[in-house]
């Protein structure tokens, strides 16, 4: 069966960086779209970035220029590099996989994603 697992979450200070990893079993990341999302307490889950099967990338405006999504096809891992973190980035971060038909060109929507990881916590303190 398909399983996704996020890692790399941590507690950091404002201005620092983190790199999250999304590993998968039962699915090849490059066969479809993989997105990163986050959810803060009391807020809806929001899309951050997506990389599709051709490597085309889309970002939400809120993280464009600070966050970067990438994929290592040899390792079957998708990364989210997060720079210049601030307190508003505190949330649980999730990766998710969708079919190759889904190729967002802006902020990814949660609905097209079929498989989700359990999430990893990122806390940014001042």
């Amino acid at each position: 069966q398909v399983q996704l697992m996020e890692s790399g979450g941590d507690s950091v200070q404002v201005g620092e960086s983190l790199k999250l990893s999304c590993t998968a079993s039962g699915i090849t990341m490059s066969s479809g779209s993989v997105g990163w999302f986050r959810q803060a307490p009391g807020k809806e889950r929001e899309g951050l970035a997506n990389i599709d099967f051709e490597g085309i990338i889309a970002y939400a405006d809120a993280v464009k220029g600070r966050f970067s999504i990438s994929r290592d096809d040899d390792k079957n891992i998708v990364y989210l590099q997060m720079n210049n973190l601030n307190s508003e980035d505190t949330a649980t971060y999730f990766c998710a996989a969708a079919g190759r038909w889904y190729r967002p060109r802006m902020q990814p929507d949660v609905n097209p994603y079929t498989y989700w990881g359990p999430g990893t916590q990122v806390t940014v303190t001042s």
Side-chain angles (χ1 to χ4, degrees):
Q1 77 259 28
V2 176
Q3 288 187 325
L4 301 179
M5 181 64 66
E6 305 89 347
S7 62
D10 203 349
S11 181
V12 297
Q13 294 192 324
V14 170
E16 293 186 337
S17 299
L18 272 179
K19 188 173 185 178
L20 305 181
S21 299
C22 176
T23 57
S25 60
I27 190 172
T28 300
M29 298 290 218
S30 60
S31 66
S33 276
V34 176
W36 280 98
F37 299 79
R38 68 184 178 190
Q39 188 166 19
K43 294 188 176 181
E44 292 188 352
R45 191 167 299 189
E46 65 170 329
L48 303 175
N50 185 84
I51 183 166
D52 74 11
F53 71 96
E54 288 190 332
I56 295 175
I57 289 170
Y59 293 103
D61 288 344
V63 301
K64 199 176 294 183
R66 292 195 303 127
F67 290 13
S68 176
I69 189 172
S70 62
R71 189 179 69 212
D72 186 326
D73 291 344
D74 291 336
K75 296 181 179 178
N76 202 32
I77 298 176
V78 172
Y79 301 100
L80 184 69
Q81 176 69 45
M82 306 187 294
N83 298 326
N84 194 24
L85 289 162
N86 58 61
S87 58
E88 294 183 348
D89 296 317
T90 294
T92 301
Y93 285 70
F94 302 87
C95 64
R100 61 193 295 147
W101 63 271
Y102 186 58
R103 307 184 69 183
R105 293 296 179 260
M106 56 183 69
Q107 182 180 22
D109 185 83
V110 298
N111 292 316
Y113 294 84
T114 305
Y115 304 105
W116 291 81
T120 186
Q121 179 66 35
V122 173
T123 303
V124 185
T125 58
S126 57

